[in-house]
Amino acid sequence: MIENHIKEGAVLTKYVISGGNPLHGEVEISGAKNAAVAILPAALLVDGVCRIENVPNISDVTMILGILRDLGAEVRMINPTTVELDCSHVYKQNVPYELARQIRASYYLIGALLGRFGRAEVPPPGGCDLGVRPIDQHLKGFYAMGAEIQVENGFIYAASPTGRLHGAQIYLDVVSVGATMNILLAAALADGLTVIENAAKEPHIVDLANFLNSMGARIKGAGTDIIRITGGRELHGSNYTIIPDQIETGTLMIAAAATGGDVVITGAIPTHMESLSAKLLEMGVYVSEDDDRIHVRSEGNLRAVNIKTQVYPGFPTDLQQPMTSLLTIANGSSIVTETIYEARFKYIEELRRMGANIRVIDRTAIVDGVDRLIGAPVTATDLRAGASMIVAGLMADGVTEVSGVKYIMRGYEDIDKKLIGLGAHIERSVKMGGL
Ligand code: EPU
C-alpha cells in the first residue's frame, strides 16, 4: 500500500529541507492513524464484509493489514484509502512475532481475537520507544472478562476457558487510550454488560465506538470517562469512514505558524484541536475555524507559552514534540511538561544541534527562545520526533537533512508532498536497498 520504494530497489531515507519558506495555501487532512489501527482489527469481530474509507496510507496501516492477511482475512484495496475486509475465513488466533513487534497497535489483536474466538496469542507490542509502555490495564480488563492470561516465551497467551468472554466492571488505574479501545473490542461480543470506568476520551475512542455501533454493537458513553457496552449480540459488516487525524492537523497548524505562513487546513475537525488552537492564540498566532476548515496565519514575533501534556481534551502528548520546535523561536522562556511518557524528550538533543536553547530537567523542558534555528543533519528518533524535525527544518536557515524517515512514514501520509504543495522546499533522498 505505502510507496516507500521510490523506484525498484530504492528506499526513501531522508527528507532534505531548505528552510525559510512561509507555507501558503490549502491542505487536506488524511484519516486518523490511531483510529485506523483499531478499527481495522475490529473487522475481525464479524463474519461479513467491512468497507472502511479514509484509511491513511501509512506504514502502520500496512502492517495491521499484513497481520490481518496472515490470520486469514481477505483484504481488498479498493483505492489507496479504501479497504474492504472480510474476516469470515480467519483461521488463526496467533500473531507472528516479526509482524507484531513492528507496531504498537498490534495489541488490538488481543482484544479483537479474544472477543471473536475466545483466545489470542500475540507478542507484546513494539512501536516508538517512549520509555516503559506497560499494557497491564489491557490485561486486567481481559482478566475481569473471564480470560486467563499467561505471559511466557515472549508471547501473551489469553484465553477464556468457556470460549466466550463475559461483561465486567473495569476501573482503569491509569487513563489509557490503548486499554480503553482494547476493552471495547473485547466487550462488543462479550455476554452481558461491561462498564469501563476512568476511560480515555480521545476522538479515536469515539470513532472506534461509532464503528462498532455501526456493526450492531451497543456502546454508550464513548467520549466520557464511563463507557457502557452491552454485548452478546451478533455483529454484522458495515461501511464506515474514519475521522481526520488530529495529530496531522496539529502538526500542519504548527508548521504554518512556525514558517510565518497562511494556511487553510481542510477536512479537519476543529473541536478536536481546541487545546492546540488555544496555545497558538496565546502565542499570537491567528487561528480561525469554519465547519471542517482551520485557518492559521502568523507574522512571526511569537510569545513563549507553557505546555503540559494531558489526556484528551488536554494538550496531546503527540503534539508536544512539534510544538517544542515552534517554541524554540518564541520570545521568552516556555516550559514544556510531559506527563504521559517518561522518555519523550530524546529529540531535544537534535533540536539543540540546530541552535535551540533547551534544558531538560526530568520531565520538564525549559525552552529559551532564540532568533533562529540553523539547518543541520538530524535524526527522527520516533514518529513525532520526526514531525518535530520537519517543523524545525521548515523554519531554519539553510538545509536540514532529516533521517529516520521510516518512523515518519508510520504515521504521516505523504507529509513531504503535502508541505511541498504549500510551498515548502523538500527533496527526497533515496538509497539503493541493501547497500
Ligand atoms: N499505561 C500503563 N498501563 C497500561 C497502558 C498504559 O501504565 O496498561 C500508561 C503508559 O505507560 C502511558 C500512559 O499510560 O504512560 C498512557 O498510555 P496509553 O495507553 O494511553 O497510550 P498507548 O495506547 O500506548 C496511544 C497512541 C499513542 C499516543 C497515546 C496517548 C496508538 C497506537 N498509540 O498509545 O500514539 O501517544 O495513546 O494519546 O494509538 C503516536 O501516535 O505517536 C503515539 C505514540
Side-chain angles (χ1 to χ4, degrees):
M1 189 177 175
I2 189 156
E3 45 162 307
N4 51 0
H5 293 279
I6 310 304
K7 51 187 167 180
E8 207 176 335
V11 177
L12 174 57
T13 57
K14 286 182 195 170
Y15 292 137
V16 182
I17 305 173
S18 302
N21 299 296
L23 301 181
H24 284 282
E26 276 196 19
V27 61
E28 181 152 9
I29 296 305
S30 299
K33 168 181 93 91
N34 289 343
V37 294
I39 284 174
L40 297 169
L44 278 168
L45 297 173
V46 292
D47 269 341
V49 177
C50 293
R51 182 184 170 103
I52 319 286
E53 301 190 13
N54 207 28
V55 180
N57 189 358
I58 53 176
S59 65
D60 268 16
V61 160
T62 307
M63 296 287 173
I64 286 284
L65 293 177
I67 292 175
L68 292 173
R69 267 197 199 95
D70 184 79
L71 295 174
E74 273 182 47
V75 177
R76 289 187 290 275
M77 292 310 305
I78 307 303
N79 63 47
T81 58
T82 301
V83 62
E84 279 185 0
L85 294 169
D86 183 349
C87 295
S88 315
H89 304 295
V90 165
Y91 60 95
K92 281 170 67 178
Q93 291 86 45
N94 56 318
V95 177
Y97 175 82
E98 323 75 71
L99 296 179
R101 289 300 290 165
Q102 302 199 37
I103 48 168
R104 182 82 191 145
S106 54
Y107 52 34
Y108 292 131
L109 276 303
I110 311 175
L113 287 169
L114 254 183
R116 168 84 183 275
F117 300 104
R119 64 181 292 266
E121 288 178 30
V122 182
C128 291
D129 178 9
L130 312 173
V132 181
R133 298 177 75 181
I135 60 162
D136 56 302
Q137 300 302 305
H138 306 227
L139 302 183
K140 165 178 151 169
F142 302 144
Y143 179 75
M145 297 166 78
E148 289 173 358
I149 317 266
Q150 280 178 303
V151 184
E152 57 185 37
N153 307 328
F155 273 80
I156 297 162
Y157 298 90
S160 157
T162 63
R164 288 187 70 80
L165 298 178
H166 56 72
Q169 184 101 4
I170 301 160
Y171 174 84
L172 297 180
D173 299 324
V174 287
V175 181
S176 159
V177 171
T180 303
M181 290 169 89
N182 227 342
I183 294 168
L184 276 178
L185 288 168
L189 288 175
D191 295 323
L193 176 70
T194 298
V195 181
I196 311 175
E197 292 176 311
N198 204 25
K201 297 183 272 202
E202 268 66 4
H204 27 292
I205 289 165
V206 179
D207 210 32
L208 173 63
N210 286 342
F211 175 54
L212 292 169
N213 283 341
S214 79
M215 296 158 85
R218 285 169 292 174
I219 300 172
K220 289 192 176 153
T224 75
D225 52 16
I226 299 187
I227 306 180
R228 290 185 169 78
I229 308 120
T230 308
R233 195 153 77 177
E234 200 170 324
L235 304 183
H236 52 77
S238 146
N239 289 358
Y240 194 76
T241 302
I242 290 175
I243 54 167
D245 196 294
Q246 178 202 20
I247 306 303
E248 186 199 19
T249 307
T251 304
L252 289 167
M253 290 170 71
I254 291 168
T259 58
D262 187 344
V263 172
V264 174
I265 295 165
T266 63
I269 300 184
T271 49
H272 293 169
M273 306 314 305
E274 277 167 7
S275 59
L276 174 64
S277 298
K279 283 293 158 185
L280 291 177
L281 287 165
E282 211 178 309
M283 293 181 77
V285 178
Y286 169 88
V287 182
S288 74
E289 299 158 1
D290 176 20
D291 197 12
D292 68 347
R293 295 157 71 88
I294 303 174
H295 184 184
V296 180
R297 192 178 69 233
S298 165
E299 280 148 20
N301 203 21
L302 301 175
R303 291 185 285 275
V305 294
N306 297 335
I307 303 288
K308 187 174 194 177
T309 63
Q310 284 173 328
V311 293
Y312 189 81
F315 194 92
T317 173
D318 295 343
L319 288 176
Q320 178 258 107
Q321 293 153 296
M323 187 67 175
T324 300
S325 291
L326 174 61
L327 294 176
T328 62
I329 53 151
N331 295 318
S333 292
S334 303
I335 297 176
V336 178
T337 309
E338 172 58 56
T339 71
I340 310 291
Y341 291 115
E342 56 170 23
R344 215 170 197 181
F345 280 144
K346 288 184 198 155
Y347 68 101
I348 281 178
E349 195 49 45
E350 301 300 289
L351 287 180
R352 284 203 195 104
R353 299 178 63 245
M354 297 177 72
N357 185 355
I358 310 179
R359 281 167 293 145
V360 176
I361 303 167
D362 194 19
R363 289 194 180 195
T364 300
I366 299 142
V367 187
D368 289 318
V370 294
D371 286 346
R372 62 179 63 83
L373 296 185
I374 311 287
V378 289
T379 301
T381 48
D382 61 70
L383 166 59
R384 309 302 172 188
S388 161
M389 295 304 115
I390 289 176
V391 169
L394 290 172
M395 65 193 200
D397 284 354
V399 176
T400 300
E401 288 189 6
V402 182
S403 49
V405 166
K406 66 175 184 185
Y407 293 114
I408 300 170
M409 293 171 84
R410 279 184 172 177
Y412 289 95
E413 177 179 320
D414 285 340
I415 187 77
D416 56 337
K417 289 187 190 158
K418 290 189 182 186
L419 290 167
I420 289 167
L422 294 172
H425 291 191
I426 305 180
E427 285 175 19
R428 290 179 161 199
S429 170
V430 297
K431 76 168 185 184
M432 296 311 287
L435 293 181

